[in-house]
Amino acid sequence: METAVSADIGLPRVSYLGRFLDVVQVVSTAPDRGLTLSELAVQAGVPASTASRLARLLEEHGLARRLADKRYVPGPALLAVGLRSLRRLPTDRFQDAVQTLFDLTGESVSVGVLLGDGIRLFDNPGAPPYDSSYSTAMIPRPL
């Protein structure tokens, strides 16, 4: 993270928003067991008092969840943000493989990416991506 330098004393200045984002990043990579407030503070590089305030803020907005043992894990809102970002997954990296398989076999070719409770299919060359809201391994598709 880049920090600005305070003109009056020459020390690095870290914005509160920057610290907040550091804490979000740490929570987003928390192990399944979660992180204690002390672990969160150390990994985010912020004082414990700042980590406490930011953790409460994350909880209020659903970005973090505090477990019964007071450990922090990603909250539902943070998970939703991550899943929404996957919907914008660049599809061009699949196109060469789909085209090659289509050219070699002459058969219909699809690549599916599991996104939350749905599957996004990338079909034959030139076909637009298809979004499904079904959590199933096989989705009937018209030919």
Side-chain angles (χ1 to χ4, degrees), residues 63-83:
L63 295 167
R65 190 166 55 91
R66 192 167 60 167
L67 303 174
D69 65 358
K70 298 186 180 181
R71 290 177 173 270
Y72 291 90
V73 295
L78 187 58
L79 298 173
V81 168
L83 289 173

Side-chain angles (χ1 to χ4, degrees), residues 112-115 117-121 130-132 134 136-139:
V113 178
L114 182 62
L115 298 173
D117 64 350
I119 297 174
R120 184 153 192 198
L121 293 178
Y130 171 80
D131 285 315
S132 162
Y134 303 102
T136 178
M138 188 70 150
I139 299 174

Side-chain angles (χ1 to χ4, degrees), residues 95 109 121-130 141:
Q95 295 306 319
V109 177
L121 293 178
F122 305 96
D123 268 344
N124 290 319
Y130 171 80
R141 298 286 314 270

Side-chain angles (χ1 to χ4, degrees), residues 1 14-24 26-27 36-60 64 72:
M1 175 177 72
V14 177
S15 73
Y16 199 69
L17 179 58
R19 289 180 176 175
F20 176 79
L21 294 173
D22 290 342
V23 172
V24 169
V26 170
V27 167
T36 65
L37 189 58
S38 298
E39 292 169 333
L40 184 61
V42 168
Q43 290 184 29
V46 299
S49 59
T50 301
S52 177
R53 284 191 305 275
L54 293 176
R56 263 194 316 259
L57 188 61
L58 289 174
E59 277 186 276
E60 289 172 13
Y72 291 90

